[in-house]
Amino acid sequence: MDRHEFLRRLHRVLKPRTYGEIGVNDGRSLAISRVPSVAVDPAFRIVTSLSCDVHLVRSTSDDFFARRDPLQHLRTGRNPFRALARRDPMAVLGEQPRLELSFIDGMHLFEFALRDFMNIERYSRWSSVIVLDDMLPRNVDEAARDRHTKYWTGDVYKVVQVLRRFRPELVAVEIDTAPTGVVAVFGADPGSTVLADAYDRIVEEYVAPDPQDVPEEVLTRKNAVAPEALLGADLWPGLVRARTLRRGRAAFAPVRRSLDRLTG
């Protein structure tokens, strides 16, 4: 299963009401969305029809998220945030719009991908799913910071190492998609400042010149699960129900148990 088919099926089981994307490229992943969306890329070149209400921004992700209200588009038009505000204005008073599914496929360098995750997480909630592309290089050449191969992941695989070390409350699931794997992150906490506080120290430690020292378990996909296994897991109905009912973070516990069974 390739990344686009995985995303297509993920939309079906997660039923997100909002979608965010960093790294639009030719628009094939954005074309999957049918919900209000925000997509950012400094040099996109759309070659396919889009079927969603989308704010398409030609910008770097850092500049976009530095805006005062980057998700303003989700406050207008036909979207669930606006609908909820009409039904119960007090329920969303002062609340930021949230991205319920996000796909990160921006610059293939560790420090950029980490910042992309940090920015997306600030506009997510615990029930959101954040997918990062190109996370499982098949050889050291594909993982190089200086691109010299057709398929190129860069050193973004290190983001998972950082999340597991600094943010153990998150669950990062490596997924064996073709050709270069993805990772789905569950349990986002928009209030966390751990990564931002340690960012300079993390970059100093993890950014290294080529060739990269890629762990063997990454190259062999030792810990990766089949995409069909994740998509068919029993966690989705409960996650969607908890999100719809606006349940607090305590509702993440059964979702985490399902993920632990899948990855254990």
Side-chain angles (χ1 to χ4, degrees), residues 216-238:
E216 187 66 20
E217 59 265 27
V218 173
L219 295 175
T220 61
R221 307 194 177 192
K222 177 182 177 181
N223 300 316
V225 303
E228 296 86 354
L230 177 61
L231 294 166
D234 60 2
L235 63 93
W236 302 108

Side-chain angles (χ1 to χ4, degrees), residues 100-137:
E100 296 183 345
L101 174 61
S102 298
F103 182 54
I104 298 174
D105 186 22
M107 178 66 77
H108 291 190
L109 297 176
F110 161 75
E111 62 271 33
F112 285 83
L114 181 60
R115 290 203 305 271
D116 287 342
F117 175 84
M118 291 160 55
N119 283 324
I120 288 289
E121 187 183 26
R122 287 193 294 120
Y123 294 95
S124 302
R125 51 169 57 94
W126 75 262
S127 55
S128 302
V129 177
I130 303 172
V131 179
L132 296 99
D133 194 26
D134 299 306
M135 298 297 286
L136 296 173

Side-chain angles (χ1 to χ4, degrees), residues 49-179:
S49 297
L50 303 179
S51 302
C52 59
D53 173 15
V54 60
H55 183 203
L56 187 58
V57 186
R58 194 178 297 277
S59 167
T60 66
S61 54
D62 285 334
D63 286 346
F64 174 74
F65 283 104
R67 297 180 180 186
R68 181 178 179 182
D69 189 4
L71 301 190
Q72 182 179 9
H73 175 73
L74 301 184
R75 299 181 186 275
T76 61
R78 298 179 61 185
N79 66 74
F81 186 87
R82 184 179 177 89
L84 177 59
R86 286 198 300 267
R87 293 196 304 270
D88 184 1
M90 295 305 295
V92 295
L93 184 63
E95 181 180 338
Q96 288 280 358
R98 299 295 174 182
L99 297 168
E100 296 183 345
L101 174 61
S102 298
F103 182 54
I104 298 174
D105 186 22
M107 178 66 77
H108 291 190
L109 297 176
F110 161 75
E111 62 271 33
F112 285 83
L114 181 60
R115 290 203 305 271
D116 287 342
F117 175 84
M118 291 160 55
N119 283 324
I120 288 289
E121 187 183 26
R122 287 193 294 120
Y123 294 95
S124 302
R125 51 169 57 94
W126 75 262
S127 55
S128 302
V129 177
I130 303 172
V131 179
L132 296 99
D133 194 26
D134 299 306
M135 298 297 286
L136 296 173
R138 296 166 294 180
N139 53 64
V140 173
D141 286 328
E142 285 185 346
R145 288 174 63 84
D146 184 10
R147 181 176 188 173
H148 57 273
T149 57
K150 177 182 178 181
Y151 292 104
W152 180 51
T153 68
D155 60 345
V156 298
Y157 68 90
K158 297 175 184 176
V159 171
V160 173
Q161 299 173 6
V162 168
L163 295 183
R164 289 174 177 165
R165 175 181 170 187
F166 289 86
R167 299 287 308 282
E169 75 276 16
L170 303 176
V171 179
V173 181
E174 295 167 278
I175 305 162
D176 187 14
T177 55

Side-chain angles (χ1 to χ4, degrees), residues 1 9-10 12 14-15 28 45 55 57 61 86 88 92 100 115 119 140 159 197-198 204 206 209 222 253 256 262-263:
M1 186 184 300
R9 298 191 191 185
L10 181 58
R12 292 174 188 166
L14 181 61
K15 299 178 177 63
R28 284 182 293 168
R45 45 183 181 85
H55 183 203
V57 186
S61 54
R86 286 198 300 267
D88 184 1
V92 295
E100 296 183 345
R115 290 203 305 271
N119 283 324
V140 173
V159 171
D197 294 341
E204 182 178 1
Y206 281 85
K222 177 182 177 181
R256 178 158 199 149
L262 180 67
T263 58

